[in-house]
Amino acid sequence: MDKNHRFNVKKVLETSALPGVSKMKASTDGNIPDLDQGNVTYPVVSSDPKIRRNSLAQLTREALPRVDHYRNCIEATKRPSLGELYGEPSGVKDGDIESRRPEETGGNHGIKLGWIQGVLIPCLLNIWGVMLFLRLSWVVAQSGIIQSLIIIGISTVVCVLTTLSLSAICTNGEVKGGGVYYIISRSLGPEFGASIGIVFAFANTVAASMNTIGFCDSLNELLHSKGLQIVDGDVNDVRIVGTIAILVMCITCAVGMEWESKAQNVLTIIIVAAIIDFIVGAIIGPRSVLQLAQGFVGFNLTVMQQNLGPGYRFSENVNQDFFSVFSIFFPSVTGIQAGANISGDLKDPSKAIPKGTMLALLISMASYVVFVLFAGATAARDASGIVGDVGSGIEFHCFPDRNCEWGLMNSYSMMQVVSIWGPLIYAGCFAATLSTALTNLLSVPRLIQALGIDRIYPGLIFFSKGYGRSGEPYRGYVLTFLISTAFLLIAQLNVIAPLISNFYLASYALINFCTFHAALVKPLGWRPEFKYYNVWLSLFGFILCVAIMFLISWVTSLITFFVVFALYLLVVYRKPDVNWGSSTQAQTYKSALTSVHKLVNVHDHVKNYEPQILVLSGKPQDRPPLVDLAHLITKNSALMVCGQVSEERLSHRARMNLTLKSYGWLHANKIKAFYALVDDIKFEVGARALLQASGLGKLKPNILMMGYKNDWTSCTAEDLEEYFTILHDAFDNRMAVAILRLPDGQDYSKFVDESEPHAYVNGGFSLATSSQDLTVNDQSGFMRIDSDVSISQMGNQSSDLSLSVIGSAENSLTNSPKPFRRYLNTSKSDTLSPLSILKQKKKARAEQVGLQVPVSRELHNMTLFRDKQSEGNIDVWWLYDDGGLTILLPYIISTRSTWVSCRLRVFALVNRQSEAELEERNMASLLSKFRIDYQSLKMVSGITEKPKKETVNFFNNLLQGSCDGDEARVSKEELTTMQQKTYRQLRLRELLLENSRDSRLVVMSLPMPRKGTVSASLYMAWLEALTKDLPPSLLVRGNHTSVLTFYS
């Protein structure tokens, strides 16, 4: 083995020896020892029991799979980054796909509940509500046994389908505090989740009021039977008792989960005892003549036959029918979400919610069926309650002059009549109503807390604060109490019940849609443990819920949809900075991918041409005029890519910083564009890579836009040649080229310095430089968007002025002109004027160099293509037919709102002066066929004439130094050969100065840099002659493929 390729074994072994392992002996010369000479001792694990064996963690940097590595919180243990493992410099860390943030504290309560205590009992208590004891017998009387069972069956189908969908979502990862809001927001995104979360919280709050009103009504009935009352025995009694009841329940929930759980257990026992009381009483039958007179006859085949069919009558101020009765019954099954509402308090939500909810649904629906069968088989629809009316048979006759006050149809107290002990039914009614209200009051503050923690609606942040070790949302309880009390004062169930039912159904519909959408899109993250769901059943559940909403009340359904839509638009407008990996994101990706694939198979047509621009801008925030012009052309309807080339090798962290800051600036300025960065490569090669590799399928740039190289006379020959080569590369790839020149350049990074150390070596440069060398690294700082930036030095003056991070409320920018502020910072809340910063900086620089540069001029140039333009002209010098791009781009610019006041003036060349009139008619006809509006058309002649002497002298001065010496860039032979073409450019300069000196923008055909014919210096001299002393100029050369057509 070659000695130079051997490594120092001795040094490696001595520095990496591990405890408990004997060291290997190495030869003194550092070479690999000869194993045959016996001078090597192999590593042997010590047999001494006192010496601990090495763990795997001591032998490798690799980390074993651990659950903490996947937690989305700051405190979680992090696995080694890729850079740490393969040896990047310390301090360089990789970012995660989803930024880590503190976990929600809304569900971080001290006591965690199992599936029985946390899901089964709350669901049962929420389902067994006011309807069970007060309205179920009335439902049987109106609809009959058969249709009542159909109503229960439809309700069961809705609940089962929703439960299956809910179980699938809950088992697709950890479910934290927030219940239905958390589920929907993490599945469909914050827009749907937040809007339905507010609606659901409101529905639960009002449902607590409704059940409390039911409790008060039952209490009033009990007191009335005893001849007692509090104030008036009616509405005021409901308000007084209800307010006290809600206050006590809120305090019970706020005290903690342990007290609430104990209260639930007691209430459950009472309800079960009341149900048993009713069933046993129905089996035993009537025990007095009074019960028989009130309509309770025991199990009787004749009564059952009479009650099989419907008997709809006028009741509750409505002519009842199947759907009206269904609307009154359905709120009794809106409780399957009770377990999901407190998901943050469950030990294992993914297992507890499916198991507990399904079992609760089975038990409650079975109890409803038993109640319907027992009530329909043992009690008559009408009875007078008068003992003397009871005959030998079971016929009850209500005479026209006398109303029957008993029977299933007329009395809400038939369950007390049928039961063994009536007071136990009252106790069950109290327990059912209060337990449902208690469950609702418990879930609302946690839902508000989850919304506040996610910072979706700023108004809820105040109420989301947690107190104590368990993080109880006491402020949320106060808000819940106030809203519940406000609706309690209405004191009428029929007024608020339909709205609550529609709100619940809206949330159920979205739960089903969440599962349908996720199962249809099938992102890789969709792997629910619960397998008993079906994508089409979820869709059917969604449609069924929406249909029932409109069948119950189309007015309240429209109100519900309007409220949800308004809240949805509010979240869309605010654009919260969250990323939860929703299925809508996966759908967006798949839709985009499908569209791109379809687009590949679509042949290009001139009528569908779109200018897709690759802008060699470097960092887009450094050269806003160039980026703004490209955006003015594409305007969110065509592809735009901002490209940057860095000759320095950038770390992953540096690349990510550049990318995030560039996209942050683009987003802040409402520019829809992509950003592409290549590093560790020569500028010429990097630009060629962007030309060839940017885009995807048919979404590839067809126009290269770059800035004019102002320093072409002073830069090195290599830099100038690279710039010139980019033009050839673009034409080689059959791309059009557009070069923008502004009188003062486009580079505005010099206006703000970066006080923080560079996180990367700024080796990037672009073709948009105004006065800097393309190959020299820019050592002056620049303001980097979305970073901690300050201006600490302005020349020799110190300042504590600073620019804030996005989202920071401190030291931000507000007092500056709005257009300029957008270029500097993406923060919405600003308090510091960048105009004052710019003035102070310019003043400091002027003191150093003895020159005062006007600030207003630079601000105007910086926002040239964004500001509203006053009336003026866009002069188009369509000199050569390049496919129509030279006339199309200015036409597009003239249609934009900021440039709509500027009219097009078209200038074109003529072959001969004698044909000027004919050429003008032909050009006018062509523009008319292209449907391009213009103000005037002028045919230019005399292009072949010799330019004036002063123009020639001007050109010679440009080339001074480029034609002399051994390193001459332009040879005399080339000047002689290209003299006629040079004269044409100079003559064109004279015509431009004569006609377009006062225009807003000049767009002209770019001279063709013919390969091997013209040198870089001579070509740049042509461009200098064409654009110097003129307004902003855009030189355009299409790829000579038609981009305009006059065919339909």
Side-chain angles (χ1 to χ4, degrees):
M1 178 184 293
D2 186 1
K3 183 176 181 178
N4 294 331
H5 290 81
R6 298 176 181 174
F7 60 93
N8 195 326
V9 179
K10 180 178 180 180
K11 181 177 180 181
V12 172
L13 296 179
E14 287 180 352
T15 57
S16 61
L18 300 173
V21 181
S22 59
K23 296 182 179 180
M24 296 178 63
K25 297 179 181 179
S27 59
T28 58
D29 61 356
N31 296 334
I32 297 178
D34 191 352
L35 299 181
D36 296 334
Q37 295 179 1
N39 59 352
V40 176
T41 303
Y42 290 95
V44 179
V45 178
S46 174
S47 61
D48 188 350
K50 296 181 180 181
I51 300 178
R52 297 177 59 188
R53 295 190 177 187
N54 297 300
S55 65
L56 181 60
Q58 294 175 295
L59 299 175
T60 180
R61 293 178 180 268
E62 300 279 9
L64 299 179
R66 294 288 184 269
V67 66
D68 281 347
H69 298 161
Y70 297 88
R71 293 193 185 279
N72 186 29
C73 62
I74 297 176
E75 296 81 5
T77 305
K78 299 180 181 179
R79 71 178 70 84
S81 68
L82 184 63
E84 292 173 343
L85 288 179
Y86 79 82
E88 273 191 352
S90 59
V92 178
K93 297 181 180 180
D94 298 338
D96 204 348
I97 293 178
E98 183 176 356
S99 59
R100 297 178 182 266
R101 55 184 293 186
E103 285 191 343
E104 293 89 337
T105 59
N108 226 3
H109 299 278
I111 297 178
K112 296 294 183 180
L113 306 176
W115 71 274
I116 295 179
Q117 196 71 42
V119 182
L120 177 63
I121 293 178
C123 285
L124 285 174
L125 292 178
N126 215 15
I127 295 174
W128 285 334
V130 63
M131 300 299 175
L132 175 63
F133 295 96
L134 295 181
R135 292 298 178 90
L136 192 56
S137 58
W138 176 85
V139 170
V140 176
Q142 290 283 350
S143 300
I145 296 175
I146 295 177
Q147 292 193 12
S148 296
L149 293 177
I150 294 176
I151 290 174
I152 295 175
I154 296 175
S155 303
T156 303
V157 170
V158 172
C159 293
V160 168
L161 293 178
T162 306
T163 302
L164 293 176
S165 300
L166 184 67
S167 300
I169 299 176
C170 290
T171 57
N172 191 51
E174 290 187 359
V175 179
K176 301 186 183 299
V180 172
Y181 157 70
Y182 185 92
I183 291 170
I184 297 178
S185 63
R186 268 55 176 182
S187 298
L188 287 181
E191 296 84 3
F192 281 107
S195 56
I196 204 64
I198 291 290
V199 170
F200 196 72
F202 176 78
N204 276 353
T205 306
V206 180
S209 303
M210 184 186 71
N211 281 279
T212 306
I213 293 173
F215 159 73
C216 296
D217 287 343
S218 180
L219 179 62
N220 282 346
E221 185 179 342
L222 178 61
L223 293 177
H224 180 71
S225 65
K226 303 297 182 180
L228 301 174
Q229 64 182 31
I230 299 176
V231 177
D232 58 357
D234 196 9
V235 175
N236 290 325
D237 285 4
V238 171
R239 292 167 178 167
I240 294 173
V241 176
T243 302
I244 297 174
I246 290 179
L247 179 62
V248 172
M249 286 187 290
C250 285
I251 294 175
T252 302
C253 295
V255 167
M257 291 294 297
E258 184 177 1
W259 288 96
E260 192 272 338
S261 299
K262 291 180 180 179
Q264 282 189 346
N265 292 336
V266 175
L267 295 174
T268 303
I269 293 174
I270 295 175
I271 294 175
V272 172
I275 293 174
I276 295 174
D277 182 26
F278 170 80
I279 294 175
V280 173
I283 294 175
I284 293 176
R287 294 167 300 283
S288 66
V289 179
L290 179 60
Q291 288 180 322
L292 189 63
Q294 291 174 339
F296 175 44
V297 297
F299 282 101
N300 189 287
L301 184 60
T302 302
V303 172
M304 187 172 183
Q305 289 176 347
Q306 292 175 352
N307 291 335
L308 281 177
Y312 296 113
R313 301 178 188 175
F314 182 83
S315 178
E316 302 289 336
N317 298 321
V318 176
N319 287 319
Q320 301 294 338
D321 56 20
F322 178 85
F323 292 110
S324 64
V325 174
F326 181 90
S327 67
I328 294 175
F329 170 80
F330 188 78
S332 63
V333 298
T334 55
I336 59 174
Q337 77 288 341
N341 285 340
I342 56 171
S343 55
D345 300 307
L346 302 176
K347 294 179 181 178
D348 189 358
S350 61
K351 293 183 180 179
I353 292 176
K355 186 189 302 183
T357 306
M358 291 298 292
L359 186 57
L361 189 61
L362 177 63
I363 294 174
S364 59
M365 292 301 107
S367 65
Y368 283 151
V369 171
V370 171
F371 266 67
V372 169
L373 293 177
F374 277 44
T378 60
R381 277 194 171 99
D382 300 291
S384 63
I386 300 175
V387 176
D389 291 341
V390 179
S392 58
I394 57 172
E395 295 291 335
F396 298 93
H397 300 285
C398 293
F399 300 101
D401 58 344
R402 185 176 60 181
N403 292 327
C404 289
E405 297 181 355
W406 291 92
L408 297 176
M409 184 71 74
N410 307 303
S411 175
Y412 296 145
S413 301
M414 284 303 296
M415 292 192 68
Q416 288 88 328
V417 175
V418 176
S419 64
I420 296 178
W421 188 42
L424 187 57
I425 297 297
Y426 278 111
C429 182
F430 296 160
T433 53
L434 292 178
S435 64
T436 304
L438 191 67
T439 304
N440 291 327
L441 292 174
L442 178 67
S443 63
V444 172
R446 285 159 175 76
L447 199 154
I448 294 175
Q449 189 177 47
L451 281 164
I453 290 174
D454 290 335
R455 309 181 74 86
I456 303 298
Y457 297 109
L460 296 179
I461 296 176
F462 174 80
F463 299 99
S464 64
K465 183 178 180 180
Y467 292 88
R469 297 179 58 186
S470 58
E472 288 289 343
Y474 293 140
R475 295 178 181 177
Y477 283 113
V478 174
L479 178 62
T480 304
F481 169 75
L482 294 176
I483 298 176
S484 297
T485 304
F487 280 90
L488 176 74
L489 298 179
I490 299 175
Q492 295 182 10
L493 288 176
N494 295 337
V495 175
I496 58 178
L499 190 61
I500 294 173
S501 299
N502 276 274
F503 280 171
Y504 278 131
L505 280 168
S507 63
Y508 290 177
L510 278 181
I511 290 174
N512 283 290
F513 185 77
C514 285
T515 304
F516 161 73
H517 192 266
L520 183 67
V521 177
K522 289 183 179 178
L524 293 179
W526 177 251
R527 297 185 300 274
E529 297 179 11
F530 185 80
K531 303 299 182 183
Y532 304 102
Y533 74 95
N534 182 270
V535 56
W536 303 115
L537 285 179
S538 297
L539 177 61
F540 176 70
F542 166 73
I543 297 174
L544 187 61
C545 288
V546 175
I548 292 176
M549 287 178 63
F550 281 91
L551 290 174
I552 290 176
S553 174
W554 66 269
V555 176
T556 53
S557 298
L558 292 178
I559 294 175
T560 303
F561 280 112
F562 175 78
V563 172
V564 172
F565 185 67
L567 293 171
Y568 174 88
L569 292 180
L570 179 60
V571 180
V572 171
Y573 174 77
R574 292 195 69 251
K575 296 180 181 179
D577 185 18
V578 294
N579 182 14
W580 294 327
S582 62
S583 60
T584 53
Q585 290 178 339
Q587 179 65 50
T588 301
Y589 172 81
K590 289 198 172 185
S591 299
L593 186 62
T594 302
S595 299
V596 172
H597 281 306
K598 289 181 178 179
L599 199 59
V600 171
N601 299 321
V602 176
H603 296 291
D604 295 330
H605 195 281
V606 62
K607 290 195 296 184
N608 299 323
Y609 173 82
E610 293 289 348
Q612 303 183 117
I613 303 177
L614 169 62
V615 188
L616 290 184
S617 62
K619 296 181 291 295
Q621 57 267 37
D622 287 352
R623 296 167 180 88
L626 187 66
V627 178
D628 282 344
L629 175 60
H631 174 64
L632 198 64
I633 296 172
T634 58
K635 202 61 175 181
N636 305 331
S637 62
L639 177 67
M640 175 179 167
V641 180
C642 295
Q644 179 179 354
V645 180
S646 172
E647 290 189 341
E648 299 292 334
R649 182 177 181 83
L650 303 178
S651 66
H652 174 74
R653 181 68 174 274
R655 291 177 57 87
M656 291 300 297
N657 283 342
L658 277 172
T659 302
L660 291 176
K661 295 180 197 314
S662 298
Y663 275 116
W665 185 88
L666 292 170
H667 178 73
N669 289 276
K670 300 179 181 180
I671 297 175
K672 293 184 179 179
F674 297 96
Y675 172 75
L677 169 66
V678 291
D679 68 297
D680 193 23
I681 195 171
K682 290 187 62 177
F683 173 65
E684 176 187 347
V685 180
R688 186 180 301 119
L690 290 174
L691 288 170
Q692 296 178 351
S694 295
L696 188 67
K698 291 294 180 67
L699 294 178
K700 294 180 67 67
N702 50 30
I703 299 176
L704 172 66
M705 181 175 289
M706 52 189 182
Y708 180 74
K709 187 173 179 59
N710 285 356
D711 64 339
W712 67 273
T713 57
S714 58
C715 68
T716 64
E718 182 181 358
D719 288 343
L720 182 59
E721 194 63 35
E722 285 185 342
Y723 181 91
F724 189 59
T725 303
I726 296 301
L727 296 177
H728 291 300
D729 290 339
F731 291 130
D732 286 341
N733 288 277
R734 297 302 184 267
M735 291 181 64
V737 174
I739 300 177
L740 174 66
R741 181 175 187 179
L742 298 180
D744 296 321
Q746 301 104 32
D747 188 359
Y748 290 89
S749 61
K750 56 182 177 294
F751 288 135
V752 279
D753 289 334
E754 197 173 11
S755 64
E756 63 177 352
H758 285 284
Y760 55 89
V761 178
N762 184 13
F765 57 92
S766 78
L767 296 178
T769 59
S770 59
S771 60
Q772 298 173 347
D773 196 323
L774 285 173
T775 59
V776 177
N777 293 337
D778 182 12
Q779 299 301 325
S780 64
F782 59 93
M783 181 170 184
R784 296 169 57 187
I785 307 302
D786 194 16
S787 62
D788 294 320
V789 187
S790 65
I791 301 178
S792 59
Q793 294 181 351
M794 295 184 180
N796 295 327
Q797 300 179 356
S798 61
S799 173
D800 57 356
L801 300 176
S802 63
L803 302 176
S804 68
V805 186
I806 290 180
S808 173
E810 302 176 357
N811 301 327
S812 55
L813 311 168
T814 56
N815 300 323
S816 62
K818 183 177 179 181
F820 184 63
R821 182 170 70 249
R822 288 198 297 265
Y823 287 112
L824 296 182
N825 202 326
T826 59
S827 177
K828 293 182 180 179
S829 59
D830 302 325
T831 59
L832 186 63
S833 169
L835 181 60
S836 62
I837 297 174
L838 185 58
K839 288 181 178 179
Q840 293 185 45
K841 182 172 179 61
K842 297 302 294 182
K843 182 179 179 180
R845 287 185 173 178
E847 291 176 355
Q848 290 181 350
V849 300
L851 176 64
Q852 181 71 41
V853 180
V855 176
S856 59
R857 177 182 175 86
E858 293 177 340
L859 287 179
H860 170 73
N861 292 336
M862 188 175 183
T863 60
L864 175 65
F865 296 104
R866 182 177 292 258
D867 292 341
K868 179 74 174 179
Q869 299 292 320
S870 58
E871 290 187 3
N873 298 316
I874 300 177
D875 287 353
V876 184
W877 291 74
W878 192 10
L879 308 178
Y880 312 108
D881 190 357
D882 59 353
L885 187 66
T886 305
I887 191 67
L888 177 62
L889 294 187
Y891 171 75
I892 293 174
I893 294 174
S894 68
T895 61
R896 304 310 185 195
S897 59
T898 54
W899 286 75
V900 71
S901 299
C902 297
R903 305 293 295 174
L904 292 184
R905 295 195 307 178
V906 182
F907 298 86
L909 298 179
V910 294
N911 289 321
R912 298 181 181 87
Q913 182 61 36
S914 59
E915 300 176 355
E917 185 177 350
L918 177 61
E919 293 283 356
E920 184 175 356
R921 287 199 302 268
N922 292 338
M923 178 60 71
S925 175
L926 182 62
L927 294 175
S928 176
K929 289 183 177 181
F930 286 153
R931 301 172 302 282
I932 291 179
D933 296 328
Y934 60 93
Q935 184 181 25
S936 64
L937 172 61
K938 182 177 181 179
M939 306 306 295
V940 179
S941 60
I943 190 68
T944 58
E945 297 177 3
K946 186 176 180 180
K948 298 177 183 178
K949 184 177 181 180
E950 54 267 25
T951 307
V952 176
N953 292 336
F954 160 79
F955 185 76
N956 292 333
N957 291 333
L958 289 178
L959 293 179
Q960 188 175 6
S962 299
C963 303
D964 305 327
D966 298 333
E967 298 182 358
R969 300 183 183 179
V970 181
S971 65
K972 294 182 179 180
E973 292 78 7
E974 183 184 6
L975 284 175
T976 303
T977 304
M978 306 300 296
Q979 185 177 20
Q980 291 300 324
K981 195 166 187 179
T982 301
Y983 281 174
R984 286 203 302 270
Q985 312 305 328
L986 297 181
R987 178 60 181 147
L988 184 58
R989 168 181 170 80
E990 295 174 352
L991 295 173
L992 285 164
L993 292 174
E994 177 184 342
N995 295 278
S996 300
R997 186 186 292 270
D998 298 326
S999 62
R1000 299 290 182 187
L1001 178 67
V1002 177
V1003 182
M1004 74 181 82
S1005 298
L1006 176 72
M1008 178 60 67
R1010 188 172 179 83
K1011 268 188 175 182
T1013 303
V1014 60
S1015 64
S1017 296
L1018 181 58
Y1019 184 77
M1020 292 304 300
W1022 290 351
L1023 300 188
E1024 183 76 15
L1026 291 175
T1027 57
K1028 189 173 179 58
D1029 303 323
L1030 282 174
S1033 302
L1034 182 65
L1035 302 167
V1036 179
R1037 172 66 69 164
N1039 63 355
H1040 289 250
T1041 300
S1042 296
V1043 298
L1044 292 171
T1045 181
F1046 43 78
Y1047 294 107
S1048 59

